[in-house]
Amino acid sequence: MTIKAIIFDVDGTLADTEDAHRIAFNKAFAENHLDWNWDVALYDKLLKVTGGKERIKYFIETCLPSFRKPADYDGFVKDLHLVKTGHYTTMLREGLIPMRPGIKQLIAAARQAGIVLAIATTTSPENVATLLRQGLGADSENWFAVIGCGDIVPHKKPAPDIYHWVLERLRLSASDCIALEDSENGLHSSLAAGIRTFVIINNYTRKQNFTGAAAVFDDLSDLERFYRIAGLPLSKLAISV
Ligand code: XBP
Ligand code: MG
């Protein structure tokens, strides 16, 4: 089957972003005079909940039994998350979070070969736009035919909603596409949408269960190997980025 589109996850896949998210959450808590601190071990547990707002609520509801929810609890969480997003996008703009090995070359080669690009992510739209501009250049958002992100769907990963949303707008079937993910939640989401999925692990996800993945890679530094395994008619020699 010819691969017509590659659908990219963002966090952990395009760039190794999760620890920057963690730091941005902690900056937002401090700015709001909350004595909450998400260390790596706790964040590793909280990452099983996708979506920053959902993650904050999960933390409150499972770790802070005596927390008195404000009258407008949703508004409190939304405002706190907006502050976090501000800190995170500032970190992106400071160039602190590079694209992962091979990603820029893969995207350039796929574009040159006429393979459609798309994004299916849980993260917020501002984060996607800033990461793409910072990591791939000013007009790179236009390289992606469809960008599905944040609250656009009712159920976030591991539900398949975001991948269904992207497939519908690509007007492609799942069998025309491959997905690149980094986490068990992401893999469950893309597999539930019927999409052949390749996993690139990172420090937060390396111990997770990737049953069902077409293949698992440490990263895409060996692009020829990835092309061979994925059945992509691309060559690393074709482009220079
Ligand atoms: C990862 C997520 C996001 C980020 C934080 O998204 O679950 O929630 O951790 O970003 P994906 P927000 O791997 O699907 O790209 O705070 O904006 O949600
Ligand atoms: Mg991810």
Side-chain angles (χ1 to χ4, degrees):
M1 181 66 79
T2 310
I3 296 168
K4 295 178 181 161
I6 304 174
I7 307 173
F8 292 88
D9 164 56
V10 173
D11 289 307
T13 301
L14 286 184
D16 205 347
T17 59
E18 284 301 354
D19 217 46
H21 281 298
R22 179 182 70 83
I23 292 163
F25 278 110
N26 287 333
K27 288 179 178 213
F29 301 152
E31 192 172 318
N32 284 271
H33 313 295
L34 296 163
D35 64 347
W36 307 345
N37 179 55
W38 290 358
D39 62 17
V40 170
L42 174 56
Y43 195 63
D44 189 42
K45 292 188 180 71
L46 297 177
L47 269 175
K48 74 179 182 186
V49 174
T50 61
K53 294 187 287 296
E54 295 81 356
R55 194 167 301 142
I56 292 170
K57 286 185 177 178
Y58 176 73
F59 166 70
I60 290 170
E61 284 142 27
T62 57
C63 301
L64 303 179
S66 54
F67 179 77
R68 288 184 54 238
K69 292 180 182 177
D72 180 7
Y73 181 47
D74 284 349
F76 164 77
V77 171
K78 187 163 178 279
D79 292 347
L80 187 55
H81 187 248
L82 274 175
V83 173
K84 174 263 173 182
T85 298
H87 284 296
Y88 176 71
T89 49
T90 299
M91 292 166 79
L92 285 172
R93 280 191 293 274
E94 286 168 357
L96 298 176
I97 311 164
M99 301 308 260
R100 293 197 68 182
I103 290 291
K104 287 174 91 167
Q105 294 87 335
L106 167 59
I107 287 172
R111 291 184 67 214
Q112 199 170 60
I115 293 175
V116 173
L117 303 177
I119 282 175
T121 177
T122 306
T123 199
S124 307
E126 309 90 300
N127 297 346
V128 182
T130 309
L131 178 70
L132 294 179
R133 273 198 302 273
Q134 191 60 36
L136 297 174
D139 67 336
S140 58
E141 279 183 84
N142 303 323
W143 301 352
F144 296 84
V146 176
I147 297 180
C149 55
D151 299 330
I152 198 83
V153 289
H155 308 291
K156 294 183 175 175
K157 299 175 183 177
D161 300 37
I162 194 67
Y163 278 99
H164 285 151
W165 191 93
V166 170
L167 286 175
E168 277 160 32
R169 282 150 188 80
L170 285 174
R171 298 184 191 283
L172 291 173
S173 62
S175 58
D176 293 322
C177 308
I178 59 171
L180 273 179
E181 272 285 353
D182 72 305
S183 69
E184 192 172 342
N185 275 332
L187 175 63
H188 288 179
S189 177
S190 55
L191 290 182
I195 303 170
R196 190 160 65 101
T197 303
F198 297 89
V199 170
I200 317 170
I201 60 177
N202 53 64
N203 287 336
Y204 276 114
T205 66
R206 68 178 63 257
K207 294 195 183 77
Q208 292 180 357
N209 181 341
F210 297 120
T211 303
V216 179
F217 300 87
D218 282 330
D219 62 36
L220 295 188
S221 46
D222 184 348
L223 271 179
E224 296 295 347
R225 177 167 174 267
F226 171 64
Y227 293 160
R228 195 171 54 252
I229 293 170
L232 278 165
L234 300 175
S235 161
K236 187 174 175 185
L237 308 176
I239 44 97
S240 58
V241 278

